[in-house]
């Protein structure tokens, strides 16, 4: 697929939780080098970043973040949430974001996977959330809609979010990985599919891409665990954000795809050590999932910002009293919408 | 992967274990012969076959030696069901559902006679029945989507964020397999892409989420007869009917609505079979023509169906569905009136042949 038309419409946002990005950037160079990158340094990280030469990039560190949003607000961008600052200041149509411990994967034929190209393909072909196609993505080469698929649903809807997957260290929670310490994901599933409307799923932030113009404000830092740490096992922020995105997409008639591209996720951390911290997150999901499954947004919510504000309202009303973490998350969502409106709400016009 | 497996390749891949040997029937509709079974022999010979012979009952269907089977032609169907035989299609593979009704086993695997053993990307012959059984015997997860697909598959699990309370899953009622080579396209798509072949082996099984409908293909399908059997009616197709090639589609929409209501799961994906024969797209177009525009009304109907809480068995759900079909789809075409009546006849016939199952309740709703 030719990307030459779309290169200038893409930002690659990397949250740097570790200072030395040399091998990360070198491995991704063949794929990243033609795009503009936004690297956001975790404000809590003390060491200097090491970034190799030869990339077109902007780096944002704590002082830069403080400058844009103020020192009291900049705390929301701590840890994995630092990437949201990149989403906020980007002016491009498409954003692709991978964790800094992920590398390009190889497919079943041993060929390097161009994760950027696949995400862009996912985002620029229609999604089909209203009826399940048993041959998966009908817009992929060599596939189509199957017999029995209503013709009126074959034009699909715009795809707002593309969720990729991970070989090697899969995105399991700490209890699961601790129970199966040797388990690594070696199954390369050659498919992209649309997650049906009204079906929720855990949207991992490790390897995602989205249409910022259409869904930008819904990817947000809001749920922060008391013991949130610097390993994915110790966070739920992306899962929470993903629920908001899916609910908003379902309401606005936008699509969410999952499947390829894969990235190779390096071994890092100790699941058993993280178990102590993540237990809080695992418990919370028992409340979070039924809650989001019950959310119904009003017809008047016609923009993504509206959807986020509405969800924040409902979170405050229904979950706020159950745990202060939810009350804080609701407030963070409201604050985010305001921040987005003041800092984030413009994009360059197409072709600029 | 672009050719079917040979009988020898299948023999190499077969294991000495034949799970559910005495609990599963294989239902095959046919009008010609069953030579294709030679390729399947290493995988299927230990199992009992129910052959439903469509078309001319005076013709003799040759079954390869060594298979244990019972065979029903139209005369048998008429004799066994009497006037209720009117619900079983003639001159259409939809007649296969008679096989489901007459079986006494817990599980059914149904396959078309132009489906052969496929090969996986490593070249190994795929034991489709073994995979279907794995799918049926492991739970489904319809309430929350797992991004790593079937969490019960080897080497996979539930991902971070998946609530632990939902990890037990629910019983799997249906396992829907796929096809390499000739894909299951409708006639218009076949006409536009006559040379397209499905060569993509997607190594996944997944649960179709609750509330989502799908086009169920009957070419490579397995199900738990005790959990969902009475809803697997393949409708009125073929001779004397205005429509064809919507038998499995109709059953698929009905079973999905009922599974969603009763808290049962439907899986799709592996196993693959190798589909060898492309039917004539012009013949298909004539059969499907009405279905293509009727489905624009049928789909919203099924998407909006609400089954009352007191429908706690499959039969009760199905009768209620038949009622709603008559009320809401009857106005589209008198065919739906007939179909709704046939749905009721089917349940009566099913209960007649399966007296104890009438009191089956799986107790779960919603």
């Amino acid at each position: 697929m030719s990307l030459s038309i779309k290169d200038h419409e893409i930002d690659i946002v990397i949250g740097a939780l570790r200072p030395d990005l040399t091998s990360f950037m070198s491995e991704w160079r063949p794929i990243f080098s033609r795009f503009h990158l936004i690297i956001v340094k975790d404000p809590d990280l003390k060491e200097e970043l090491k970034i190799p030469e030869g990339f077109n990039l902007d780096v944002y560190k704590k002082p830069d973040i403080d400058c844009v949003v103020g020192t009291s607000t900049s705390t929301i961008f701590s840890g994995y949430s630092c990437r949201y600052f990149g989403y906020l200041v980007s002016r491009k149509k498409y954003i692709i974001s991978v964790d800094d411990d992920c590398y390009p994967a190889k497919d079943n034929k041993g060929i390097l996977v161009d994760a950027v190209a696949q995400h862009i393909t996912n985002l620029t072909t229609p999604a089909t959330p209203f009826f399940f196609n048993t041959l998966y993505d009908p817009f992929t080469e060599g596939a189509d809609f199957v017999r029995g698929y209503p013709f009126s649903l074959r034009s699909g809807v715009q795809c707002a979010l593309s969720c990729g997957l991970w070989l090697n260290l899969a995105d399991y929670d700490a209890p699961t990985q601790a129970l199966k310490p040797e388990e690594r994901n070696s199954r390369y599933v050659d498919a992209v599919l649309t997650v049906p409307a009204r079906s929720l799923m855990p949207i991992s932030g490790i390897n995602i891409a989205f249409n910022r113009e259409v869904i930008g404000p819904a990817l947000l830092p809001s749920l922060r665990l008391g013991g949130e740490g610097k390993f994915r096992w110790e966070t739920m922020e992306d899962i929470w954000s993903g629920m908001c995105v899916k609910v908003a997409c379902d309401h606005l008639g936008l699509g969410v795809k999952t499947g390829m591209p894969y990235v190779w996720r390096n071994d890092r951390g100790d699941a058993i050590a993280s178990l102590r911290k993540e237990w809080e997150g695992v418990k919370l999901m028992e409340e979070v999932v039924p809650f989001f499954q019950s959310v119904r947004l009003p017809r008047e919510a016609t923009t993504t910002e509206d959807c986020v504000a509405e969800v924040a309202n409902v979170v405050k009303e229904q979950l706020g009293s159950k745990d202060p973490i939810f009350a804080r998350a609701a407030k963070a969502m409201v604050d985010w919408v305001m921040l987005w409106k003041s800092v984030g709400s413009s994009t360059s016009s197409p072709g600029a | 992967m672009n050719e079917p497996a040979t009988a020898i390749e299948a023999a190499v891949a077969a294991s000495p274990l034949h799970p559910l040997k005495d609990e599963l029937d294989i239902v095959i509709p046919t009008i010609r012969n069953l030579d294709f079974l030679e390729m399947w022999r290493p995988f299927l010979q230990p199992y009992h076959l129910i052959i439903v012979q469509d078309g001319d009952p005076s013709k003799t269907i040759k079954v390869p030696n060594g298979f244990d089977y019972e065979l029903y032609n139209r005369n048998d169907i008429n004799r066994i069901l009497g006037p209720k035989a009117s619900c079983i299609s003639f001159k259409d593979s939809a007649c296969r559902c008679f096989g489901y009704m007459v079986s006494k086993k817990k599980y059914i695997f149904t396959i078309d006679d132009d489906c052969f053993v496929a090969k996986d990307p490593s070249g190994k012959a795929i034991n489709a029945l073994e995979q279907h059984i794995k799918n049926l015997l492991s739970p489904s997860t319809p309430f929350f989507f797992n991004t790593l697909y079937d969490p019960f598959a080897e080497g996979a699990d539930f991902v971070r964020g998946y609530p632990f309370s939902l990890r037990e899953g629910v019983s799997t009622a249906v396992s829907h397999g796929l096809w390499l080579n000739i894909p299951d396209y409708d006639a218009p798509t076949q006409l536009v892409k006559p040379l397209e072949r499905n060569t993509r082996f997607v190594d996944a099984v997944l649960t179709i989420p609750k509330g989502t409908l799908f086009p169920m293909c009957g070419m490579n399908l397995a199900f738990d007869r005790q959990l969902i059997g009475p809803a697997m009616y393949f409708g009125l197709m073929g001779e004397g009917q205005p429509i064809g090639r919507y038998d499995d589609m109709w059953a698929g929409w009905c079973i999905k609505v009922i599974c969603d209501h009763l808290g049962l799961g439907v899986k799709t994906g592996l196993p693959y079979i190798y589909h060898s024969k492309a039917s004539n797209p012009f013949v298909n177009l004539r059969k499907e023509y009405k279905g293509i525009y009727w489905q624009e009304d049928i789909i919203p109907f099924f998407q909006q169906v609400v089954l009352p809480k007191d429908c706690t068995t499959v039969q009760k759900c199905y009768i209620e569905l038949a009622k709603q079909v008559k009320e809401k789809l009857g106005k589209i075409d008198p065919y739906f009136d007939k179909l709704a009546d046939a749905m009721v006849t089917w349940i009566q016939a099913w209960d007649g042949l399966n007296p104890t199952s009438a009191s089956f309740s799986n107790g779960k709703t919603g």
Side-chain angles (χ1 to χ4, degrees):
Chain A
M1 189 210 118
S2 165
L3 285 180
S4 54
I5 314 162
K6 302 241 172 4
D7 285 8
H8 70 277
E9 293 181 275
I10 299 167
D11 260 339
I12 299 182
V13 174
I14 307 295
L17 270 72
R18 298 172 309 154
D20 191 351
L21 295 179
T22 316
S23 66
F24 171 82
M25 301 286 289
S26 307
E27 294 285 332
W28 281 103
R29 190 186 291 275
I31 295 166
F32 281 359
S33 59
R34 60 208 265 202
F35 301 104
H36 177 250
L37 281 84
I38 292 178
I39 299 187
V40 185
K41 183 182 171 195
D42 176 4
D44 302 332
L45 192 60
K46 300 286 176 266
E47 300 102 294
E48 282 301 310
L49 285 184
K50 266 208 228 133
I51 301 172
E53 299 281 318
F55 289 92
N56 170 18
L57 48 73
D58 286 302
V59 183
Y60 295 91
K61 304 173 203 170
K62 187 170 188 311
D64 307 305
I65 300 174
D66 289 342
C67 196
V68 174
V69 303
T71 44
S72 51
T73 307
S74 65
T75 53
I76 67 174
F77 297 115
S78 148
Y80 280 103
S81 295
C82 60
R83 61 172 54 192
Y84 294 110
F85 182 80
Y87 304 167
L88 187 69
V89 299
S90 166
R91 289 294 174 261
K92 301 291 172 67
K93 183 170 178 183
Y94 301 105
I95 291 196
I96 293 161
S97 195
V98 297
D99 277 4
D100 64 2
D101 55 2
C102 293
Y103 289 74
K106 289 207 175 113
D107 67 15
N108 279 333
K109 299 189 177 79
I111 298 171
L112 205 69
V113 171
D114 185 341
V116 173
Q118 183 64 59
H119 273 307
I120 294 299
T121 301
N122 294 351
L123 291 172
T124 53
T125 51
T128 50
F130 304 120
F131 202 75
F132 190 88
N133 192 47
T134 48
L135 277 189
Y136 312 108
D137 184 0
F139 297 99
T140 240
E141 206 170 306
D144 212 310
F145 290 96
V146 296
R147 175 174 58 98
Y149 203 105
F151 276 79
S152 61
L153 294 180
R154 294 192 189 198
S155 41
V157 298
Q158 187 172 26
C159 180
L161 186 75
S162 165
C163 309
L165 294 173
W166 344 270
L167 289 173
N168 192 48
L169 198 69
D171 191 16
Y172 292 147
D173 52 43
T176 306
Q177 192 73 69
L179 213 64
K180 300 177 169 185
E182 306 305 314
E183 181 148 298
R184 298 293 179 270
N185 185 24
S186 54
R187 182 188 297 249
Y188 186 94
V189 178
D190 184 7
V192 176
L193 59 134
T194 299
V195 182
R198 288 179 321 277
S199 295
L200 295 180
M201 69 211 259
I203 293 180
S204 165
I206 294 173
N207 170 19
I208 54 166
F210 58 100
N211 182 326
R212 187 184 174 280
E213 272 174 17
V214 142
I215 203 70
L219 281 99
L220 40 69
S222 70
L223 187 86
R224 185 177 289 277
L225 297 181
E228 183 174 286
K230 308 297 186 187
F231 295 95
R232 279 289 185 193
W233 289 315
E234 299 166 356
T235 68
M236 275 296 174
E237 55 86 11
D238 50 348
I239 307 294
W240 174 271
S241 169
M243 297 279 176
C244 300
V245 175
K246 187 59 166 62
V247 162
C249 284
D250 286 348
H251 178 77
L252 297 171
L254 300 166
V256 173
K257 291 185 185 177
T258 186
M260 300 191 295
Y262 281 84
V263 296
W264 177 274
R265 189 164 174 245
N266 273 342
D267 286 279
R268 198 165 83 86
D270 176 356
I272 295 174
S274 294
L275 204 52
R276 274 181 295 121
K277 290 188 184 178
E278 210 223 346
W279 181 238
E280 186 193 357
V282 163
K283 250 192 337 169
L284 286 176
M285 287 311 292
E286 297 298 330
E287 296 278 3
V288 168
V289 169
F291 165 75
F292 276 102
Q293 282 172 333
S294 69
V295 166
R296 295 286 177 269
L297 297 176
R299 206 164 277 176
E300 299 77 44
T302 51
T303 65
T304 306
E305 286 92 330
D306 289 346
C307 292
V308 175
E310 272 304 317
V311 173
N313 252 351
V314 189
V315 168
K316 183 167 165 212
E317 278 168 26
Q318 294 182 13
L319 292 180
S321 50
K322 294 194 180 178
D323 193 314
I325 198 178
F326 294 125
R328 285 194 292 269
K331 177 161 190 315
M333 290 170 78
V334 170
D335 292 345
W336 178 259
V337 173
M338 292 198 306
L339 192 60
W340 188 274
K341 284 183 175 156
S342 71
V343 176
S345 67
S346 61
T347 49
S348 51
S349 47
Chain B
M1 213 171 64
N2 289 338
E3 311 120 6
T6 61
I8 294 177
E9 283 171 320
V12 165
S15 82
L17 305 161
H18 301 287
L20 303 183
K21 188 162 67 76
D22 301 315
E23 296 175 75
L24 183 142
D25 275 337
I26 303 178
V27 172
I28 307 170
T30 188
I31 51 168
R32 28 186 173 241
N33 61 60
L34 295 173
D35 292 347
F36 84 113
L37 282 176
E38 281 300 343
M39 298 303 155
W40 286 99
R41 191 184 283 278
F43 298 145
L44 301 189
Q45 188 171 328
Y47 297 88
H48 180 73
L49 310 181
I50 295 181
I51 299 161
V52 183
Q53 178 185 344
D54 196 16
D56 182 1
S58 65
K59 194 167 168 217
T60 309
I61 300 290
K62 213 173 150 301
V63 183
N65 283 333
F67 282 94
D68 173 48
Y69 69 94
E70 53 198 280
L71 185 145
Y72 300 92
N73 61 29
R74 192 72 207 183
N75 295 337
D76 300 313
I77 295 172
N78 291 337
R79 176 179 47 86
I80 293 170
L81 294 185
K84 297 198 178 67
S86 59
C87 73
I88 303 295
S89 303
F90 183 53
K91 295 226 176 123
D92 193 286
S93 63
C95 64
R96 75 174 81 209
C97 62
F98 177 78
Y100 310 157
M101 187 195 280
V102 99
S103 164
K104 298 282 171 269
K105 304 284 175 57
K106 181 156 159 55
Y107 301 98
I108 298 277
F109 169 46
T110 185
I111 186 171
D112 279 12
D113 62 10
D114 59 354
C115 293
F116 291 79
V117 177
K119 291 197 271 200
D120 71 18
S122 75
K124 184 171 169 217
I126 299 170
N127 185 340
L129 180 54
E130 189 179 67
Q131 181 67 52
H132 274 303
I133 290 172
K134 275 195 192 139
N135 294 348
L136 290 172
L137 295 183
S138 60
S140 293
T141 51
F143 305 122
F144 202 63
F145 189 87
N146 192 47
T147 46
L148 274 189
Y149 312 108
D150 183 2
F152 299 101
E154 205 173 302
D157 213 310
F158 291 97
V159 296
R160 176 173 57 103
Y162 205 105
F164 274 77
S165 59
L166 293 180
R167 294 192 188 197
E168 214 178 272
V170 298
S171 301
T172 303
V174 179
S175 166
H176 177 263
L178 296 174
W179 347 273
L180 291 172
N181 195 43
I182 308 286
D184 189 25
Y185 289 160
D186 53 44
T189 310
Q190 272 182 292
L191 285 164
V192 168
K193 297 178 164 191
L195 300 177
E196 185 150 280
R197 299 290 176 263
N198 185 24
T199 56
R200 182 184 295 252
F201 183 92
V202 177
D203 187 8
V205 177
L206 59 135
T207 300
I208 301 181
K210 179 179 173 178
T212 301
L213 293 175
F214 75 115
M216 184 178 85
C217 173
M219 259 199 269
N220 172 20
L221 184 70
F223 59 94
D224 184 322
R225 207 177 144 272
Q226 280 174 6
L227 287 182
I228 200 66
M232 274 290 185
Y233 174 48
F234 271 37
L236 289 173
M237 306 278 144
E239 188 169 270
Q241 308 299 343
I243 187 176
R245 284 172 53 89
Y246 271 85
D247 51 335
D248 42 6
M249 298 296 134
W250 182 263
W253 300 324
C254 292
I255 61 100
K256 189 56 168 62
V257 161
I258 293 175
C259 283
D260 286 352
H261 177 78
L262 295 176
L264 300 169
V266 175
K267 291 184 181 176
T268 185
L270 303 176
Y272 282 89
I273 49 89
Y274 185 93
H275 184 211
S276 67
K277 216 171 154 293
S279 36
N280 183 308
F282 298 99
V283 170
N284 289 344
L285 189 55
R286 258 186 289 122
K287 290 182 184 174
E288 290 172 10
Y289 166 67
K290 290 215 159 116
I292 286 175
Y293 63 85
W294 281 349
Q295 76 190 4
E296 298 296 332
D297 287 306
I298 296 173
I299 299 298
F301 163 75
F302 278 104
Q303 283 173 332
Q304 288 153 31
V305 158
V306 175
L307 295 172
K309 270 210 171 73
D310 60 2
C311 290
T312 50
T313 66
V314 178
Q315 286 91 331
K316 284 190 187 146
C317 289
Y318 204 73
I319 297 289
E320 173 63 30
L321 204 51
K323 206 174 92 193
Q324 296 194 28
V325 166
K326 198 179 256 266
E327 274 168 22
K328 306 212 174 110
L329 295 178
K331 44 179 115 84
I332 299 177
D333 192 279
Y335 168 75
F336 291 101
D337 262 328
K338 270 184 18 184
L339 180 58
D341 289 340
M343 288 167 76
V344 174
T345 306
W346 159 266
I347 293 294
Q348 291 166 351
W350 180 284
D351 285 346
L353 287 182
N354 301 280
T356 54
S357 80
S359 57
F360 257 127
S361 167
N362 72 25
K364 287 187 187 181
T365 50

